[in-house]
Amino acid sequence: MERLKRDNERLWLVLEASRMGLWDWDMTTGQVDVDDHWIDMLGLDHDQVRPFSIEKFMMMCHPADVDKVNKAIEDHAKFESDFYQVEIRLKGAQDQWFWIKSTGKIVKRSDDGEPLRMSGVHEDVSTLVRERIRGDIARSQLEAAQRLGGLGSWYLDLATDKVTWSEELFRMQGLTPDKEPPPASTHHQLFSPESWERLSKALTETIAHGTPYELELEMFNNGNFHGWMLARGEAIRSPEGAIVGVLGVALDITQRKSRETELRKKALLDPLSQLGNRTAFEISLAQTIKQANQSGSSFALIMLDIDHFKEINDQHGHDVGDRALVQVAERLRATLRGDDQIFRIGGDEFVVVLANPMPKEKLGEIAARLVLAFRTPILQLKKPLVATISAGLVSWNGREDSHDLLKRADEALYRAKSAGRNQLASDDL
């Protein structure tokens, strides 16, 4: 409890210092919960804002930004972006417009992939945007540090090639602030290879053409992962318009990235069985087909469900039904190989992806072992509860898409049920 209290206090301080506010949107009802920081950053009265809804939020958006918000939400909902992120204007107290960076993630979907809940943060970037427009070097650096707190900054003077760092940037990189910044020739060691490549290209564009950048970068220290940085940079121009330097700011977003990773995992996890859900299965199957196409290999897929599962629920109750589903998941894990991928795609339906190619004899062994594993009790009630399975196995033929492959697997499963259940059917064995 004490640790949880400390973590909550740290989170509150981070939100207070960084001018960030949390929001949580129930996409089925339209209700949006916002925390006090979210309301305070806009200078609004708490009682006037709450209760809050997506309709109220859209009314607060600048008319020119509404389509941008809707497009970002739609892209994320369709899995066309890893997360939702837009920079928009919101109307706050006294009709003042605030520049807000809105970032979020769908954290809950229905079994068929429909978004149900989205959570995220709003960051007040008003000062940074306006300073970028005005090009006020000194004020930009000062107010960015004041606004965000713990924000690292640096400046590159192109006339001298001299780089200066703020103390916060030294600390962010795990270095001692009382020393000079590392030589430019070693800066690649501060980032992962992929991050350094993106940062190098962005810096080149900024110096050559004045193009600003914003990147999320993996920090390294002594060759090991050190955390995540949100890096922004822009060109500094002389009164005549010549590019004379580059000003950069960096925010440690390690905790935020960790939360995003956890949210992403939860969005792909069936909470009951702790297996991947339907969304995770669809993503994995698409990747498996793509890899098989590229490598010229094959794979197999097993679709199965529990025989007479409705009767288990009707006779023993849904609590026992849930326990049975958990035990089925455990038995699948124990029976199959460690690299086989198992998913619960809804109700009592499970799918197994056997990604590594194998001869038919080996497939037959796995199929037989799988069916036999469920002929012994999975729960000890007043009487032992046996829950057999019916399954259909198919091998990818090298041409099918996900839809056609699943159709064949479903047809094989249907044949197993029609033949009396408690067995596996396949045309590939």
Side-chain angles (χ1 to χ4, degrees):
M1 290 298 295
E2 187 64 26
R3 180 177 179 181
L4 179 60
K5 180 180 178 182
R6 290 197 305 270
D7 288 345
N8 287 335
E9 288 175 349
R10 291 192 190 102
L11 177 59
W12 188 93
L13 289 172
V14 169
L15 293 173
E16 182 71 16
S18 61
R19 297 281 288 167
M20 290 183 179
L22 303 177
W23 53 268
D24 186 61
W25 174 22
D26 185 337
M27 302 175 78
T28 61
T29 66
Q31 180 181 346
V32 180
D33 292 327
V34 295
D35 69 357
D36 290 348
H37 297 93
W38 192 99
I39 300 173
D40 292 341
M41 77 167 66
L42 299 175
L44 297 172
D45 181 78
H46 291 208
D47 293 334
Q48 291 179 346
V49 172
R50 295 188 175 110
F52 197 54
S53 66
I54 190 64
E55 289 78 14
K56 284 186 177 180
F57 171 76
M58 290 300 185
M59 291 176 64
M60 291 173 63
C61 285
H62 192 284
D65 294 333
V66 172
D67 288 345
K68 180 166 58 174
V69 172
N70 286 328
K71 179 67 165 56
I73 293 173
E74 181 181 357
D75 288 349
H76 181 45
K78 292 180 178 179
F79 303 99
E80 293 177 3
S81 62
D82 291 336
F83 52 87
Y84 150 85
Q85 188 174 86
V86 288
E87 194 170 82
I88 57 175
R89 288 155 288 183
L90 290 183
K91 184 176 287 187
Q94 300 177 353
D95 291 336
Q96 180 182 357
W97 289 104
F98 289 79
W99 278 97
I100 299 295
K101 184 175 182 181
S102 180
T103 305
K105 177 80 178 179
I106 292 174
V107 297
K108 185 177 181 182
R109 292 180 183 266
S110 64
D111 287 342
D112 59 2
E114 288 297 312
L116 302 177
R117 180 182 174 192
M118 181 187 287
S119 300
V121 296
H122 274 179
E123 178 185 358
D124 180 5
V125 294
S126 304
T127 304
L128 185 61
V129 171
R130 289 169 184 142
E131 287 170 357
R132 184 168 67 225
I133 295 173
R134 291 193 299 266
D136 188 337
I137 305 171
R139 188 171 180 179
S140 173
Q141 196 168 14
L142 175 62
E143 291 186 5
Q146 290 175 341
R147 182 181 74 255
L148 294 174
L151 179 73
S153 61
W154 58 270
Y155 180 71
L156 167 63
D157 186 332
L158 294 178
T160 63
D161 282 335
K162 181 176 176 60
V163 179
T164 56
W165 284 16
S166 70
E167 290 189 2
E168 290 78 13
L169 187 57
F170 278 95
R171 296 189 182 99
M172 194 182 303
Q173 294 281 8
L175 303 173
T176 305
D178 58 2
K179 296 182 179 180
E180 288 292 316
S185 61
T186 66
H187 283 187
H188 66 281
Q189 299 175 4
L190 302 175
F191 302 94
S192 68
E194 187 271 340
S195 290
W196 175 248
E197 181 179 359
R198 290 190 293 119
L199 179 58
S200 297
K201 289 181 179 178
L203 281 169
T204 299
E205 282 294 307
T206 303
I207 294 170
H209 307 293
T211 308
Y213 66 83
E214 180 173 314
L215 302 170
E216 292 185 354
L217 305 170
E218 284 185 287
M219 296 183 289
F220 271 43
N221 188 300
N222 293 324
N224 298 313
F225 173 74
H226 183 64
W228 282 92
M229 167 195 294
L230 175 63
R232 295 171 178 149
E234 61 182 37
I236 303 305
R237 297 180 182 271
S238 69
E240 294 76 26
I243 297 175
V244 296
V246 180
L247 174 65
V249 292
L251 178 67
D252 190 330
I253 58 170
T254 305
Q255 291 185 357
R256 194 196 82 190
K257 295 291 286 187
S258 296
R259 290 195 297 270
E260 289 176 358
T261 300
E262 288 303 311
L263 290 173
R264 191 177 296 113
K265 288 180 180 178
K266 289 179 180 178
L268 299 175
L269 189 70
D270 170 48
L272 180 64
S273 66
Q274 294 298 297
L275 298 174
N277 59 20
R278 178 178 289 274
T279 301
F281 166 64
E282 291 172 351
I283 295 172
S284 176
L285 181 58
Q287 292 174 342
T288 302
I289 291 176
K290 180 179 179 181
Q291 291 168 359
N293 268 317
Q294 292 173 343
S295 63
S297 61
S298 185
F299 66 94
L301 184 145
I302 302 175
M303 182 176 289
L304 64 94
D305 59 24
I306 304 171
D307 295 332
H308 309 295
F309 182 69
K310 184 177 184 300
E311 295 178 11
I312 295 176
N313 275 332
D314 292 344
Q315 293 178 14
H316 303 286
H318 289 282
D319 287 344
V320 171
D322 286 349
R323 289 169 57 194
L325 290 169
V326 171
Q327 289 303 311
V328 168
E330 288 298 323
R331 193 157 294 187
L332 287 172
R333 290 190 187 97
T335 305
L336 296 166
R337 304 168 303 171
D339 55 354
D340 296 329
Q341 301 176 61
I342 312 169
F343 306 88
R344 180 188 172 213
I345 61 174
D348 64 324
E349 296 178 279
F350 295 81
V351 176
V352 179
V353 178
L354 307 171
N356 292 330
M358 64 187 75
K360 290 184 178 181
E361 295 77 11
K362 186 65 175 179
L363 275 177
E365 292 175 9
I366 293 175
R369 188 167 69 244
L370 190 63
V371 174
L372 286 173
F374 288 90
R375 292 178 178 171
T376 57
I378 61 170
L379 286 176
Q380 293 295 332
L381 305 176
K382 290 182 179 180
K383 293 182 178 180
L385 177 64
V386 177
T388 59
I389 63 168
S390 297
L393 183 150
V394 293
S395 293
W396 183 62
N397 63 18
R399 301 179 302 277
E400 297 166 300
D401 60 14
S402 298
H403 176 269
D404 291 339
L405 182 63
L406 288 174
K407 182 180 178 182
R408 283 206 301 124
D410 193 54
E411 290 170 350
L413 173 58
Y414 179 78
R415 292 198 302 274
K417 292 180 177 180
S418 299
R421 302 178 187 268
N422 188 20
Q423 58 188 284
L424 182 143
S426 177
D427 292 332
D428 300 319
L429 297 179

